[in-house]
Amino acid sequence: MNAPVLSHSRCGDCPIRHRAVCARCNADELEELDAIKYYRTYEAGQPIIWSGDVMNFVGSVVSGIASLTQTMEDGRTQMVGLLLPSDFVGRPGREGAAYDVAATTDVVMCCFRKKPFEELMERTPHIAHRLLEMTLDELDAAREWMLVLGRKTAREKIASLLAIIARRDATLTPGGATNRMVFDLPLTREAMADYLGLTLETVSRQISALKRDGIIELEGKRHVTVPDMRRLMEEAGDDSDGGFLG
Amino acid sequence: MNAPVLSHSRCGDCPIRHRAVCARCNADELEELDAIKYYRTYEAGQPIIWSGDVMNFVGSVVSGIASLTQTMEDGRTQMVGLLLPSDFVGRPGREGAAYDVAATTDVVMCCFRKKPFEELMERTPHIAHRLLEMTLDELDAAREWMLVLGRKTAREKIASLLAIIARRDATLTPGGATNRMVFDLPLTREAMADYLGLTLETVSRQISALKRDGIIELEGKRHVTVPDMRRLMEEAGDDSDGGFLG
DNA sequence: GGTCCGGTTTGATCTGGGTCAAGGCTCAGG
DNA sequence: CCTGAGCCTTGACCCAGATCAAACCGGACC
């Protein structure tokens, strides 16, 4: 598996970065991480891990989008997290995977065999510390999402999701967080429905409604323009500018 | 604040225990933790922390039940976690609280001022490691709950909640996990509704329905007997015996 | 060009759970 | 014993979103 051209200049720091460059990066650690890393690519739609599988690696998303989903026996599914570039996958100290992980778009992952990574973690408390912080971020995000799932209307759910994607895009395209915002939806209507606990028809209808009401503009089915983020946030019923991720 | 009589013989190890006694407890660490701990009690219904407040302590629940909730401006609320005895509160390395924490029943907490606790954590990687594991457990639990909130019917939601409470009770009353199970509901109908993303009327109706169908028996409003846990689990639509907590 | 196909939109209808409203228990206090 | 306050239950009705069904769109492939 030869390393693809990367948008990051160095991938070695991915697992201890997470939505922002770590301020305390340490050359020795990166050296060690570089030594044990390798790359994997997945096509859109391809599974990465099945729930219950033994996971012998951890890693982070370099490019593309992956999703975490849970499925009931009768087929109902709920997406429980979105993995965007720089997000971490896998859990040191755990044997099996807890959810299905799948590539939503084409995905490049930077992986580390679990054993050496755990050993490195033992030696370098800084990495363990970063991992704790990242996990706390994910926990906050998951709990934020519980409010969305449990108490928001369909329209608010859609607006919340759009706000999250726009927001996340803004951090990747620095200078963001202005009122106007343009981005591509990385998810199908069905995937959005799975994320939001809705049906795809309801997702479609609510997107049409937001368009009709001038909250968003659509070019094709995926390219979104938000003329005024504040209005979108209002629709989301969400003063907190909380960023969900996964 | 004098220390109350505790069900645990030592409280010092609470923050690094979590639903099970830690196998690697270390006398020195416990000593250090003992030195900086103190107790606080809260009456049922009393707030413990408001979302956004500066939190200058971390701690764990010694007895009673506390809840984490999020509230929207218009008053809709969603409970995002239940804190049962031995569960950890607060996040080292974070300034403000992310949710409202309130005592659901009378609660005794074992607290540590944050600064000394963090310093102790720096020195003893074992504690940091335990904390990471606990956080991962909570993350799994939160994601499990996302499936409940997003995809389950009202009846399944109630059954899921009862299963969780029964299950948790069983771990406290060793020898559990038999088919028959008896416990007291520590939550009002309203709190259950907030947890499940339902209204209290729906909660009441579904509990009545489960009673009518012989899945549960009720004595008064709080005392529950589950004659056959397997049937309850079926109603929860949940093969996974996953335990939620908080 | 045509046609196939997956993703999407839109319409018509149904229904689970929300909303509103009226009592019912149970315990504390007088 | 009565009264009031909290919870809880139950009924009647309604509506947001699910379900079922049909058609639409845009790109890939012949």
Side-chain angles (χ1 to χ4, degrees):
Chain A
M1 197 111 312
N2 55 342
V5 179
L6 299 176
S7 53
H8 302 300
S9 56
R10 305 189 63 176
C11 175
D13 54 342
C14 291
I16 55 168
R17 262 178 47 165
H18 188 60
R19 260 165 267 165
V21 176
C22 171
R24 292 186 291 166
C25 277
N26 169 315
D28 293 346
E29 285 168 12
L30 294 184
E31 212 75 15
E32 292 204 66
L33 286 167
D34 278 349
I36 59 174
K37 79 177 181 221
Y38 61 97
Y39 293 96
R40 290 217 50 176
T41 61
Y42 302 87
E43 282 172 39
Q46 208 182 342
I48 296 177
I49 310 151
W50 293 109
S51 168
D53 281 3
V54 173
M55 252 189 99
N56 50 13
F57 70 96
V58 299
S60 64
V61 177
V62 174
S63 68
I65 297 197
S67 62
L68 306 179
T69 59
Q70 276 190 309
T71 305
M72 296 170 65
E73 311 86 90
D74 63 7
R76 281 177 282 177
T77 76
Q78 175 66 49
M79 201 185 291
V80 298
L82 262 190
L83 296 171
L84 297 153
S86 93
D87 279 340
F88 191 81
V89 185
R91 25 205 49 206
R94 300 298 178 87
E95 261 305 300
Y99 331 97
D100 300 332
V101 184
T104 293
T105 63
D106 289 350
V107 165
V108 178
M109 295 255 307
C110 174
C111 304
F112 304 83
R113 277 179 303 115
K114 207 171 68 174
K115 200 73 171 302
F117 186 82
E118 283 172 359
E119 286 165 7
L120 179 56
M121 217 178 83
E122 293 290 332
R123 289 200 302 282
T124 60
H126 168 211
I127 291 183
H129 194 263
R130 275 300 294 150
L131 221 44
L132 175 59
E133 268 181 38
M134 285 163 46
T135 307
L136 284 170
D137 282 345
E138 289 192 38
L139 184 57
D140 282 346
R143 284 176 168 164
E144 176 114 357
W145 208 244
M146 287 171 66
L147 177 63
V148 174
L149 289 174
R151 293 300 185 192
K152 291 195 178 179
T153 65
R155 172 182 264 244
E156 288 169 334
K157 284 179 175 181
I158 297 286
S160 299
L161 180 56
L162 293 176
I164 282 160
I165 294 173
R167 204 164 177 286
R168 177 61 178 251
D169 243 44
T171 71
L172 296 179
T173 324
T178 42
N179 286 338
R180 190 179 192 78
M181 206 142 251
V182 183
F183 57 94
D184 282 308
L185 281 176
L187 302 174
T188 65
R189 302 289 185 263
E190 187 179 21
M192 294 172 74
D194 282 346
Y195 205 5
L196 296 165
L198 298 171
T199 60
L200 78 173
E201 293 97 326
T202 299
V203 169
S204 182
R205 271 187 256 272
Q206 294 299 335
I207 289 180
S208 299
L210 288 176
K211 189 169 72 174
R212 193 165 45 248
D213 299 346
I215 309 293
I216 61 172
E217 291 153 25
L218 271 184
E219 208 169 323
K221 289 148 197 310
R222 296 298 191 87
H223 192 73
V224 180
T225 302
V226 181
D228 184 352
M229 276 303 284
R230 284 168 309 183
R231 284 227 285 158
L232 183 64
M233 300 296 281
E234 271 170 41
E235 291 292 340
D238 203 28
D239 55 340
S240 94
D241 39 320
F244 180 72
L245 322 99
Chain B
M1 197 111 312
N2 55 341
V5 179
L6 300 175
S7 51
H8 302 300
S9 57
R10 306 187 65 176
C11 176
D13 55 341
C14 291
I16 54 169
R17 261 176 49 163
H18 188 60
R19 261 166 265 164
V21 176
C22 171
R24 294 186 291 166
C25 277
N26 169 317
D28 293 346
E29 286 167 11
L30 294 183
E31 212 74 14
E32 292 204 66
L33 285 167
D34 277 350
I36 60 174
K37 78 176 182 221
Y38 60 98
Y39 293 95
R40 290 217 49 176
T41 61
Y42 301 87
E43 280 171 40
Q46 207 182 343
I48 296 176
I49 310 151
W50 292 109
S51 168
D53 281 3
V54 174
M55 250 190 100
N56 50 13
F57 69 96
V58 298
S60 65
V61 177
V62 174
S63 68
I65 297 198
S67 62
L68 305 179
T69 59
Q70 276 190 310
T71 305
M72 296 171 65
E73 311 87 88
D74 63 8
R76 282 177 282 177
T77 76
Q78 175 66 50
M79 200 185 291
V80 297
L82 262 191
L83 297 170
L84 298 153
S86 92
D87 281 340
F88 191 81
V89 185
R91 26 205 48 206
R94 301 297 178 87
E95 260 306 299
Y99 330 98
D100 299 332
V101 183
T104 293
T105 63
D106 289 351
V107 165
V108 178
M109 295 255 306
C110 175
C111 304
F112 304 82
R113 279 179 303 116
K114 207 172 65 174
K115 201 70 171 303
F117 186 82
E118 283 172 0
E119 286 164 8
L120 179 55
M121 217 178 81
E122 293 289 331
R123 288 200 303 281
T124 60
H126 168 211
I127 289 182
H129 194 263
R130 276 299 296 150
L131 221 44
L132 176 59
E133 268 181 37
M134 286 163 46
T135 308
L136 284 170
D137 281 346
E138 290 193 39
L139 184 57
D140 282 346
R143 285 177 166 162
E144 175 115 359
W145 208 242
M146 286 170 66
L147 178 63
V148 174
L149 289 173
R151 293 300 185 192
K152 291 196 179 179
T153 64
R155 172 183 264 244
E156 288 169 334
K157 285 179 175 181
I158 298 286
S160 298
L161 180 56
L162 293 177
I164 282 161
I165 294 174
R167 202 163 178 285
R168 177 62 178 252
D169 243 44
T171 72
L172 296 179
T173 325
T178 41
N179 286 338
R180 190 178 191 80
M181 206 142 251
V182 183
F183 57 93
D184 282 307
L185 280 176
L187 302 174
T188 65
R189 301 291 185 261
E190 187 179 22
M192 294 172 74
D194 281 346
Y195 205 5
L196 296 165
L198 298 171
T199 60
L200 78 173
E201 293 95 327
T202 298
V203 170
S204 182
R205 271 187 258 271
Q206 295 299 335
I207 289 180
S208 298
L210 287 175
K211 188 169 70 174
R212 192 164 47 247
D213 298 346
I215 309 294
I216 60 173
E217 290 153 24
L218 271 184
E219 207 167 324
K221 290 149 198 308
R222 297 298 191 88
H223 192 72
V224 179
T225 302
V226 180
D228 184 352
M229 277 303 284
R230 284 167 310 182
R231 284 226 287 156
L232 183 64
M233 300 296 282
E234 272 169 41
E235 292 291 340
D238 204 26
D239 54 339
S240 92
D241 38 321
F244 181 72
L245 319 101

